[in-house]
Amino acid sequence: MAIDLEVGRNTGRIEQLAALRADTGDTVVFPPGTLQDALGKMDALSDGAAFVIGHNLIAFDLPHLRAVDPNRRLLNMPVIDTLRLSPLAFPRNPYHHLVKHYQDGQLLGDRRNNPLLDAELALLVFRDQEDALKAMQDAAPDRLLAWHWLTTRDDTASGLDWLFMTVRRARVPSLAEAQAAIARLLAGVACHSASTRLIEQVAVEPTRVGWPLAY
């Protein structure tokens, strides 16, 4: 399920939101109605969904939703944030062609705020990302193995476990497997002693170093 919010710059309040199920095409849009009614409908729409997708979802949409009502079921679902995933899927051009303002993570839509369109675009970005990672799996399996482990240490992005299992056709690797893959990737391109320290640090502080090392 993809979601998108529009929040007032001065008020910090949710002024518009939309949710879209890719598998059924069902949607929730606010306004019309009340915000609480829309959140209830979003919860119902999320039933049976594997994860929630959004662009800048972790840093923007989810905190605003949590501030309004921290008890919504969708807040406990696995998450895929296409903004975080873009530098991995598109390393030479991390700001996908649908992204208009990479500095604030907004998506390319029409000139008026349109959260339903942005939710649709987030799904398009995700599909391109999945295709790019599948192509990368054939060319650089160690990289995908390392990313699978490094990016799933943080529970807020646990939807990535599903994505990498789909792309790699394998479960999340063990720490030893991840460290071995990282060592192979760094061999000959980084200082051996520095690489050794970094690989050791992965085991000690996986949440802190996971995403920076993946990038």
Side-chain angles (χ1 to χ4, degrees):
M1 183 177 81
I3 68 172
D4 186 76
L5 309 181
E6 296 293 340
V7 175
R9 290 184 180 273
N10 297 325
T11 65
R13 295 179 179 176
I14 298 174
E15 296 181 347
Q16 299 180 63
L17 64 78
L20 168 66
R21 281 289 293 262
D23 52 346
T24 66
D26 293 336
T27 63
V28 172
V29 177
F30 163 78
T34 67
L35 178 58
Q36 286 298 329
D37 285 345
L39 293 176
K41 292 176 181 178
M42 284 178 66
D43 257 0
L45 190 66
S46 71
D47 288 342
F51 45 79
V52 178
I53 293 175
H55 200 74
N56 203 18
L57 184 64
I58 293 173
F60 183 79
D61 300 84
L62 293 182
H64 281 289
L65 289 172
R66 194 170 287 112
V68 173
D69 189 344
N71 298 314
R72 291 296 173 183
R73 296 193 303 277
L74 65 89
L75 295 174
N76 296 316
M77 292 178 61
V79 167
I80 293 179
D81 190 328
T82 55
L83 181 63
R84 287 192 175 192
L85 191 56
S86 279
L88 302 183
F90 315 123
R92 295 185 179 180
N93 183 24
Y95 306 111
H96 186 276
H97 67 278
L98 292 175
V99 178
K100 62 178 180 180
H101 296 307
Y102 65 82
Q103 290 179 327
D104 59 11
Q106 290 182 325
L107 286 170
L108 178 64
D110 58 21
R111 293 186 179 181
R112 299 178 62 186
N113 293 335
N114 188 333
L116 182 57
L117 176 60
D118 285 348
E120 293 171 351
L121 292 175
L123 285 173
L124 290 176
V125 172
F126 172 69
R127 288 167 184 155
D128 282 355
Q129 290 171 337
E130 186 176 10
D131 289 343
L133 292 173
K134 286 178 178 177
M136 209 177 296
Q137 169 65 18
D138 295 331
D142 272 346
R143 185 182 304 169
L144 273 290
L145 188 156
W147 284 350
H148 191 170
W149 193 88
L150 290 168
T151 63
T152 55
R153 302 306 91 198
D154 183 351
D155 288 340
T156 61
S158 59
L160 290 177
D161 186 35
W162 176 92
L163 173 61
F164 281 111
M165 282 197 298
T166 300
V167 170
R168 297 182 56 243
R169 300 179 294 278
R171 293 183 179 276
V172 63
S174 66
L175 170 61
E177 290 170 329
Q179 288 178 313
I182 294 168
R184 290 191 294 269
L185 290 167
L186 295 178
V189 296
C191 169
H192 177 72
S193 59
S195 297
T196 300
R197 290 194 300 271
L198 182 60
I199 292 168
E200 291 172 351
Q201 190 179 15
V202 165
V204 178
E205 299 179 286
T207 302
R208 189 178 72 84
V209 304
W211 275 98
L213 183 55
Y215 288 148

